[in-house]
Amino acid sequence: MKYHLNNIRYIYIRLIKMMQKSILIVIPSIDSKMHTHATISLLKMEKILNENKINVSCLFPVGSLISRVRNEAVTYFLNYDFDYLLFIDSDLSGFENAILKLIQADKDIIGCTYPKKAIKKKFINYDITHSVKNHNCRDCVDFNINLFKSINETIKDLIDFGGIIEVKNLPTGCMLIKKEVFEKILKLKGNNIFYYDYTSQTRNYDFFQVGIRDGRYMSEDYGFNELCKDCDIKSYCNFNFNLSHYGELAYKGNFYEHLNKYININNSKGQ
């Protein structure tokens, strides 16, 4: 009788675990370093996900070639029973409240954009003495994203679809990917992207490709987007969250304000 009850308890626990979603959070780096603010956001995010019955595991791979590190992380991901792979860059913060919304959006690939680590000179205002009048970093940044439509059409879509729209290229700094994405790519392109890595002694696939495509040099995140498009897999971005990108400064910004800046610049040229 006791053995029978233990079996029932074991089956019940297994069923509960099968019903719960699981996510592998991967934070790659080239030097094992992670920004303090990124760590704080990670801890907050883990608490939110656990409260919503989502099982969380973390991986902190290190390597000099980030594209290879990402590919090896996918190999690890596919070998275990995870539902989602979440890439987070070690120099980002402010993503803790976004991830649950990304999961709830139920897209194959979805993420958030964030400012590039550079000041956009065209957005800096100068006074009559040519001294910088507007030195607020939030007002002088550009964003890591490639859109399908014009700025005016994008603003309309953002309003119509609650801030979540399909994009041409999405950065991997905050990107959530369903397991089915990699399985579909392997089915369609597996023989073309296979390689054996003699450093890690593992069989891997080059999902995150760096190279030239249509005359453009692409980093591994945009290379991954293009590979997905070849397999009829769409990428989406949730623009409702403001992430900070840490370098010499804390590069912060709001994408809606960013689009309106371009409209204002174009309007002033037409006057």
Side-chain angles (χ1 to χ4, degrees), residues 74 77 83-87 107-110 172 175-182 208 224 228:
V74 173
F77 170 73
D83 298 297
Y84 301 97
L85 173 62
L86 173 65
F87 279 117
K107 303 295 186 184
D108 287 335
I109 303 172
I110 188 170
T172 45
M175 180 186 283
L176 182 75
I177 312 165
K178 286 185 178 180
K179 176 166 281 186
E180 291 89 335
V181 167
F182 298 110
F208 296 89
F224 174 65
C228 288

mmCIF file of all heavy atoms in Angstrom, residues 74 77 83-87 107-110 172 175-182 208 224 228:
data_model
loop_
_atom_site.group_PDB
_atom_site.id
_atom_site.type_symbol
_atom_site.label_atom_id
_atom_site.label_comp_id
_atom_site.label_asym_id
_atom_site.label_seq_id
_atom_site.Cartn_x
_atom_site.Cartn_y
_atom_site.Cartn_z
ATOM 1 N N VAL A 74 22.854 26.748 -27.070
ATOM 2 C CA VAL A 74 21.688 26.117 -27.698
ATOM 3 C C VAL A 74 21.824 24.589 -27.645
ATOM 4 O O VAL A 74 20.837 23.877 -27.390
ATOM 5 C CB VAL A 74 21.506 26.595 -29.149
ATOM 6 C CG1 VAL A 74 20.389 25.809 -29.842
ATOM 7 C CG2 VAL A 74 21.190 28.085 -29.185
ATOM 8 N N PHE A 77 20.828 23.626 -24.270
ATOM 9 C CA PHE A 77 19.385 23.838 -24.153
ATOM 10 C C PHE A 77 18.594 22.680 -24.764
ATOM 11 O O PHE A 77 17.626 22.176 -24.177
ATOM 12 C CB PHE A 77 19.036 25.161 -24.842
ATOM 13 C CG PHE A 77 17.574 25.431 -25.027
ATOM 14 C CD1 PHE A 77 16.763 25.764 -23.957
ATOM 15 C CD2 PHE A 77 16.998 25.385 -26.298
ATOM 16 C CE1 PHE A 77 15.408 26.032 -24.134
ATOM 17 C CE2 PHE A 77 15.647 25.643 -26.485
ATOM 18 C CZ PHE A 77 14.850 25.962 -25.400
ATOM 19 N N ASP A 83 11.464 24.664 -22.076
ATOM 20 C CA ASP A 83 10.508 25.165 -23.070
ATOM 21 C C ASP A 83 11.028 26.401 -23.794
ATOM 22 O O ASP A 83 10.761 26.598 -24.977
ATOM 23 C CB ASP A 83 9.175 25.522 -22.386
ATOM 24 C CG ASP A 83 8.521 24.310 -21.753
ATOM 25 O OD1 ASP A 83 8.162 23.380 -22.484
ATOM 26 O OD2 ASP A 83 8.391 24.294 -20.513
ATOM 27 N N TYR A 84 11.758 27.262 -23.066
ATOM 28 C CA TYR A 84 12.219 28.540 -23.605
ATOM 29 C C TYR A 84 13.707 28.730 -23.332
ATOM 30 O O TYR A 84 14.224 28.315 -22.290
ATOM 31 C CB TYR A 84 11.484 29.718 -22.961
ATOM 32 C CG TYR A 84 9.992 29.720 -23.130
ATOM 33 C CD1 TYR A 84 9.168 29.226 -22.126
ATOM 34 C CD2 TYR A 84 9.392 30.231 -24.287
ATOM 35 C CE1 TYR A 84 7.787 29.230 -22.269
ATOM 36 C CE2 TYR A 84 8.013 30.238 -24.432
ATOM 37 C CZ TYR A 84 7.218 29.736 -23.419
ATOM 38 O OH TYR A 84 5.857 29.740 -23.556
ATOM 39 N N LEU A 85 14.343 29.403 -24.265
ATOM 40 C CA LEU A 85 15.709 29.883 -24.072
ATOM 41 C C LEU A 85 15.657 31.406 -24.044
ATOM 42 O O LEU A 85 15.112 32.036 -24.955
ATOM 43 C CB LEU A 85 16.616 29.423 -25.212
ATOM 44 C CG LEU A 85 18.042 29.985 -25.256
ATOM 45 C CD1 LEU A 85 18.816 29.588 -24.016
ATOM 46 C CD2 LEU A 85 18.773 29.510 -26.510
ATOM 47 N N LEU A 86 16.190 31.989 -22.996
ATOM 48 C CA LEU A 86 16.219 33.450 -22.866
ATOM 49 C C LEU A 86 17.658 33.923 -22.838
ATOM 50 O O LEU A 86 18.416 33.572 -21.935
ATOM 51 C CB LEU A 86 15.506 33.899 -21.588
ATOM 52 C CG LEU A 86 15.611 35.386 -21.247
ATOM 53 C CD1 LEU A 86 14.898 36.238 -22.304
ATOM 54 C CD2 LEU A 86 15.050 35.677 -19.862
ATOM 55 N N PHE A 87 18.043 34.705 -23.848
ATOM 56 C CA PHE A 87 19.354 35.353 -23.845
ATOM 57 C C PHE A 87 19.226 36.720 -23.191
ATOM 58 O O PHE A 87 18.340 37.514 -23.538
ATOM 59 C CB PHE A 87 19.883 35.528 -25.269
ATOM 60 C CG PHE A 87 20.513 34.292 -25.851
ATOM 61 C CD1 PHE A 87 19.963 33.682 -26.970
ATOM 62 C CD2 PHE A 87 21.658 33.740 -25.296
ATOM 63 C CE1 PHE A 87 20.526 32.541 -27.523
ATOM 64 C CE2 PHE A 87 22.243 32.596 -25.829
ATOM 65 C CZ PHE A 87 21.669 31.994 -26.949
ATOM 66 N N LYS A 107 4.895 34.065 -28.714
ATOM 67 C CA LYS A 107 5.510 34.166 -30.035
ATOM 68 C C LYS A 107 6.704 33.208 -30.110
ATOM 69 O O LYS A 107 7.314 32.877 -29.092
ATOM 70 C CB LYS A 107 5.995 35.590 -30.290
ATOM 71 C CG LYS A 107 4.919 36.667 -30.173
ATOM 72 C CD LYS A 107 3.853 36.539 -31.233
ATOM 73 C CE LYS A 107 2.875 37.713 -31.188
ATOM 74 N NZ LYS A 107 1.772 37.559 -32.166
ATOM 75 N N ASP A 108 7.043 32.777 -31.311
ATOM 76 C CA ASP A 108 8.210 31.897 -31.476
ATOM 77 C C ASP A 108 9.480 32.588 -30.998
ATOM 78 O O ASP A 108 10.298 31.994 -30.289
ATOM 79 C CB ASP A 108 8.360 31.483 -32.942
ATOM 80 C CG ASP A 108 7.307 30.474 -33.363
ATOM 81 O OD1 ASP A 108 6.799 29.751 -32.495
ATOM 82 O OD2 ASP A 108 6.990 30.424 -34.568
ATOM 83 N N ILE A 109 9.644 33.834 -31.430
ATOM 84 C CA ILE A 109 10.791 34.652 -31.012
ATOM 85 C C ILE A 109 10.267 36.036 -30.651
ATOM 86 O O ILE A 109 9.548 36.656 -31.441
ATOM 87 C CB ILE A 109 11.840 34.801 -32.136
ATOM 88 C CG1 ILE A 109 12.327 33.433 -32.608
ATOM 89 C CG2 ILE A 109 13.017 35.650 -31.665
ATOM 90 C CD1 ILE A 109 13.206 33.499 -33.849
ATOM 91 N N ILE A 110 10.623 36.498 -29.472
ATOM 92 C CA ILE A 110 10.206 37.835 -29.055
ATOM 93 C C ILE A 110 11.233 38.389 -28.076
ATOM 94 O O ILE A 110 11.874 37.628 -27.347
ATOM 95 C CB ILE A 110 8.791 37.820 -28.417
ATOM 96 C CG1 ILE A 110 8.289 39.245 -28.176
ATOM 97 C CG2 ILE A 110 8.763 36.962 -27.162
ATOM 98 C CD1 ILE A 110 6.821 39.318 -27.777
ATOM 99 N N THR A 172 19.924 40.058 -29.650
ATOM 100 C CA THR A 172 19.893 38.923 -28.728
ATOM 101 C C THR A 172 20.086 39.341 -27.275
ATOM 102 O O THR A 172 20.008 38.507 -26.381
ATOM 103 C CB THR A 172 20.990 37.900 -29.078
ATOM 104 O OG1 THR A 172 22.209 38.594 -29.325
ATOM 105 C CG2 THR A 172 20.614 37.080 -30.282
ATOM 106 N N MET A 175 16.268 38.352 -25.652
ATOM 107 C CA MET A 175 15.542 37.580 -26.670
ATOM 108 C C MET A 175 15.055 36.254 -26.088
ATOM 109 O O MET A 175 15.843 35.477 -25.551
ATOM 110 C CB MET A 175 16.438 37.313 -27.883
ATOM 111 C CG MET A 175 15.753 36.518 -29.002
ATOM 112 S SD MET A 175 16.891 36.076 -30.343
ATOM 113 C CE MET A 175 17.034 37.649 -31.218
ATOM 114 N N LEU A 176 13.757 36.007 -26.215
ATOM 115 C CA LEU A 176 13.131 34.767 -25.752
ATOM 116 C C LEU A 176 12.799 33.907 -26.965
ATOM 117 O O LEU A 176 12.134 34.369 -27.895
ATOM 118 C CB LEU A 176 11.859 35.082 -24.963
ATOM 119 C CG LEU A 176 11.116 33.887 -24.371
ATOM 120 C CD1 LEU A 176 11.852 33.343 -23.156
ATOM 121 C CD2 LEU A 176 9.687 34.283 -23.986
ATOM 122 N N ILE A 177 13.230 32.636 -26.934
ATOM 123 C CA ILE A 177 13.084 31.745 -28.085
ATOM 124 C C ILE A 177 12.455 30.427 -27.631
ATOM 125 O O ILE A 177 12.925 29.803 -26.673
ATOM 126 C CB ILE A 177 14.450 31.456 -28.741
ATOM 127 C CG1 ILE A 177 15.238 32.755 -28.968
ATOM 128 C CG2 ILE A 177 14.268 30.705 -30.052
ATOM 129 C CD1 ILE A 177 16.703 32.539 -29.273
ATOM 130 N N LYS A 178 11.415 30.003 -28.338
ATOM 131 C CA LYS A 178 10.816 28.697 -28.050
ATOM 132 C C LYS A 178 11.704 27.578 -28.587
ATOM 133 O O LYS A 178 12.400 27.738 -29.601
ATOM 134 C CB LYS A 178 9.436 28.587 -28.718
ATOM 135 C CG LYS A 178 8.334 29.387 -28.051
ATOM 136 C CD LYS A 178 7.003 29.097 -28.737
ATOM 137 C CE LYS A 178 5.848 29.833 -28.081
ATOM 138 N NZ LYS A 178 4.554 29.539 -28.750
ATOM 139 N N LYS A 179 11.647 26.422 -27.929
ATOM 140 C CA LYS A 179 12.447 25.275 -28.373
ATOM 141 C C LYS A 179 12.087 24.866 -29.802
ATOM 142 O O LYS A 179 12.962 24.446 -30.580
ATOM 143 C CB LYS A 179 12.236 24.095 -27.423
ATOM 144 C CG LYS A 179 12.956 22.814 -27.840
ATOM 145 C CD LYS A 179 13.012 21.787 -26.736
ATOM 146 C CE LYS A 179 14.103 22.113 -25.742
ATOM 147 N NZ LYS A 179 14.272 21.056 -24.724
ATOM 148 N N GLU A 180 10.804 25.020 -30.164
ATOM 149 C CA GLU A 180 10.357 24.615 -31.491
ATOM 150 C C GLU A 180 11.079 25.360 -32.611
ATOM 151 O O GLU A 180 11.186 24.855 -33.733
ATOM 152 C CB GLU A 180 8.842 24.844 -31.639
ATOM 153 C CG GLU A 180 7.992 23.920 -30.794
ATOM 154 C CD GLU A 180 7.715 24.479 -29.403
ATOM 155 O OE1 GLU A 180 8.517 25.307 -28.925
ATOM 156 O OE2 GLU A 180 6.704 24.089 -28.807
ATOM 157 N N VAL A 181 11.576 26.556 -32.306
ATOM 158 C CA VAL A 181 12.306 27.337 -33.312
ATOM 159 C C VAL A 181 13.553 26.583 -33.763
ATOM 160 O O VAL A 181 13.796 26.398 -34.968
ATOM 161 C CB VAL A 181 12.690 28.721 -32.750
ATOM 162 C CG1 VAL A 181 13.704 29.413 -33.658
ATOM 163 C CG2 VAL A 181 11.453 29.592 -32.588
ATOM 164 N N PHE A 182 14.351 26.130 -32.805
ATOM 165 C CA PHE A 182 15.590 25.420 -33.142
ATOM 166 C C PHE A 182 15.288 24.073 -33.793
ATOM 167 O O PHE A 182 16.001 23.652 -34.715
ATOM 168 C CB PHE A 182 16.436 25.234 -31.884
ATOM 169 C CG PHE A 182 16.869 26.524 -31.262
ATOM 170 C CD1 PHE A 182 16.342 26.932 -30.051
ATOM 171 C CD2 PHE A 182 17.788 27.348 -31.889
ATOM 172 C CE1 PHE A 182 16.726 28.122 -29.470
ATOM 173 C CE2 PHE A 182 18.185 28.547 -31.324
ATOM 174 C CZ PHE A 182 17.649 28.938 -30.106
ATOM 175 N N PHE A 208 23.805 31.089 -34.875
ATOM 176 C CA PHE A 208 24.119 32.519 -34.737
ATOM 177 C C PHE A 208 25.293 32.855 -35.658
ATOM 178 O O PHE A 208 26.446 32.882 -35.258
ATOM 179 C CB PHE A 208 24.398 32.855 -33.273
ATOM 180 C CG PHE A 208 23.185 32.645 -32.414
ATOM 181 C CD1 PHE A 208 22.935 31.416 -31.820
ATOM 182 C CD2 PHE A 208 22.266 33.671 -32.231
ATOM 183 C CE1 PHE A 208 21.794 31.211 -31.057
ATOM 184 C CE2 PHE A 208 21.126 33.472 -31.468
ATOM 185 C CZ PHE A 208 20.888 32.240 -30.889
ATOM 186 N N PHE A 224 21.087 35.377 -36.946
ATOM 187 C CA PHE A 224 20.094 34.417 -36.461
ATOM 188 C C PHE A 224 18.702 34.786 -36.978
ATOM 189 O O PHE A 224 17.942 33.915 -37.419
ATOM 190 C CB PHE A 224 20.107 34.396 -34.940
ATOM 191 C CG PHE A 224 19.024 33.547 -34.327
ATOM 192 C CD1 PHE A 224 19.010 32.169 -34.511
ATOM 193 C CD2 PHE A 224 18.020 34.121 -33.564
ATOM 194 C CE1 PHE A 224 18.013 31.383 -33.952
ATOM 195 C CE2 PHE A 224 17.020 33.347 -33.006
ATOM 196 C CZ PHE A 224 17.009 31.969 -33.199
ATOM 197 N N CYS A 228 16.250 32.538 -39.377
ATOM 198 C CA CYS A 228 14.863 32.253 -39.005
ATOM 199 C C CYS A 228 13.902 32.636 -40.127
ATOM 200 O O CYS A 228 12.948 31.901 -40.422
ATOM 201 C CB CYS A 228 14.502 32.993 -37.715
ATOM 202 S SG CYS A 228 15.296 32.299 -36.242
#
